[in-house]
Amino acid sequence: KCRTGPLDIVFVIDSSRSVRPFEFETMRRFMMDIIGSLDVGPNATRVGVIQYSSQVQNIFSLKTFFTQADMEKAINSIVPLAQGTMTGLAIQYAMNVAFTTQEGARPLHKKIPRIAIIVTDGRPQDRVTEVATQARNAGIEIYAVGIQRADMNSLRAMASPPLEEHVFLVESFELIQQFGKQFQDKLCGVDTCMEQEHGCQHSCISTPGSFYCECNPGYRLNVDGRTCSPVDACADGRHGCQHQCISARGSYSCRCRAGYYLNQDKRSCTMIDYCSFGNHSCQHECVSIPNGHYCRCRSGFTLQPDSRSCRATDLCNGVDHGCEFKCVSTEGSYRCVCPEGQQLQADGKACSKCGAGHVDLVMVIDGSKSVRPQNFELVKQFVNRIVDLLEVSPHGTRVGLVQYSSRVRTEFPLNKYHSADEIKKAVMEVEYMEKGTMTGLALKHMVEHSFSELEGARPLSHSVPRIGLVFTDGRSQDDISEWARRAKESGIIMFAVGVGKAVEEELRAIASEPVEQHFSYSADFTTMTHLVENFKLNICPEEGKGETEIRSPCECEALVQFQTNTVAILQSLTEKNILWAHLLAQMTARLEDLEKQIANKK
C-alpha cells in the first residue's frame, strides 16, 4: 500500500477512436492496479475518473466512491467514446469541475495533493500548453503518460516539473501494466514522515516528496505549521447560548446559571419555579427567584417576622395619608375623618377651614444641625399643613416665618405674602441653616421684630390676636425663660411644638396658659400629623376653644346686671310715693320687654 498519506487523484483517460477495444482494456487494468496500491477512503486517498475524446464524460467524482470494489465496478462499466482527441478540453474540465470542493476535492489549506494522471495514445486536436499551465498554477500536479503513438512534445507541455519525474512514454499497450508498477513507486515515493524529523505535535501526513502536519479534532494548526491549539467554539459568538457557553475540543455546550434549567433547544434557560414545589407555606403569595423563593403579602398587609404569614397594615402609620384631622385604618386601606361639627371636603382629606376671625401668626422653626435635612423637609410640610387651615389675605390672617440655629433669620415677614399659595411656595424654598440651637435668641427676635408694625403686625388697638408658634427638636443652648415671659406679657399667644429630643420643661415655659392647650409633642418627625389638629382646635374661633375667641361685652352677664339695677330702682320708687304708680306700670312694661329680649338672646 502507498503510505504517503491522503491524495486527491483524478484519472484523465483518452478514449478516442485510435484506442482499440483491447487496448482500452489494458488502460482499465492500469487504473485498477494503481487504485489497488492506494489507501482509499473519505479521510484517506480519494479517486475520480473522467474519459475524453471529442467531449468529456465524468465516470465518477472524488466524492462518489470510497471503496476499491465500487471504483473497479465503475471502471469496468466504462464505454469508450471513440471520437476525437480533445486533451485540452479534458484538462479544462479537470481544473474547473473535477478538482472543486463541490465534487469532493479537499480545500487547498489542508495541503492534500491534487494529482491528475493523463493517459493518451495520440496527438491532441486542441491546444494544451496554456490550459495545462493554468491547471498547474491552480495547484494540480500533472503526470503525463503517453502510449505508443503519443506526441512527446505534447506530453512535456502538459506535465508538471521536473519533467523527468512527470513524463512517461510506454512503447505499447502491452507494456502499460508493467509500467504501472513503476508508476506506483514514483507516485508513492518515500514516507517522509518516517524518514525525517517532522516536528508535528499531533499527526504527520506524508505527500510525494514532502509532508504536512495535522491536528486532532477540536484543535487547530498554529501559524508555525506544527503545533496545535484547542479550538474555542464559543469565541465566535454564534453559539446562541442564553447564559454560558462551555467550549470542549472543537465543540461546545450551553449551561445555565444557578437557579435556571436548560430548555429542550439546549440553548435557552428558564428560571426554576420553586413555588411550584408546593412547600413554601406562604399565607398569601409565593414569588420565585433564582436559587429560592420569598413570601409576599397582598396590598394592605404586612409580612410578619416568620417571613410567611401576613397581617393587616395600619396604613395610617405607614403612609403619608394626608388626613387633616384624623386617619382611621381599615383592612387594606384607610379613611379620613373630621371633628364633630366639621365636614370632610371633596378631596377626602381636608376639613372645613378656620374662616371666622383672623390672626397674625408667626412660626419660629428650628433649623439646627440635629434636625437633619430630610426631617427639615418634613417640618416645611408641617408648616404648610397649618397654612392650609387658614384664610390668608391682607385683611384676614397674616403669616410670617422665622428660622433659627446659632443665629436667627426672617424667612418672610407678616406683610410679605397675601395668599396661601404664595406662602406655601416660599416655605418650600427655605434653605436649611444647620449649626446650633439658640431658641432664646429666636424668641427675642420674634418679640422685637416679627410682631412689629414695620413687619406687618396689625396695631394692638385692632384687637387682632397675635400668635407665636415655636417648633424645636432639642434643648436650647441659651436661656429661654426671659423672652418666653416677655412674649406672653406683650400679648402674644404662644404655642410650643416639640419633636424627638425636645425638652418638655422648655416647651412648657414657652407655652401660654393653660399650658396643656398650648403645648404639643411628637416622638418623631414622621408622626406630626396630629399636632396640626391640636393647633387648629386652639386657634379657630368657631371651634369654641382656645384663647383667641373674642366675646362681645353686650352679652348675658351685662343684661342680667342691667335687669337687677332696674328692679332695685323700681322698688325704691314704689316705697316713696303711690303717685308714681302710673310711671311704675310703664317701667314694668319696659322691663318685661327687656326680659323678652334677654330670653331671645339666650
Side-chain angles (χ1 to χ4, degrees), residues 21 102 111 134 148 189 257 268 288 353 379 433 474 514 583:
Q102 291 85 351
K111 298 182 180 180
Q134 293 175 357
Q148 204 166 291
R257 294 192 295 269
S268 61
S288 286
K353 293 197 175 215
V379 172
M433 293 176 70
L583 180 60

Side-chain angles (χ1 to χ4, degrees), residues 264-300:
Q264 290 184 351
D265 61 7
K266 301 300 181 183
R267 286 177 170 78
S268 61
C269 302
T270 299
M271 188 174 71
I272 298 172
D273 184 4
Y274 290 94
C275 294
S276 65
F277 298 164
N279 58 352
H280 52 75
S281 302
C282 297
Q283 182 178 351
H284 283 184
E285 300 173 3
C286 175
V287 180
S288 286
I289 57 175
N291 294 327
H293 73 280
Y294 68 91
C295 295
R296 181 171 61 192
C297 296
R298 294 191 294 271
S299 177

Side-chain angles (χ1 to χ4, degrees), residues 44 64 187 247 254 258 262 319 333 399 460 473 488 502 565 571 588:
T64 306
L187 184 64
S247 183
C254 297
L262 195 65
V319 299
S333 185
V399 178
L460 292 172
D473 85 322
K488 289 178 278 191
N565 293 340
Q571 288 176 347
T588 301

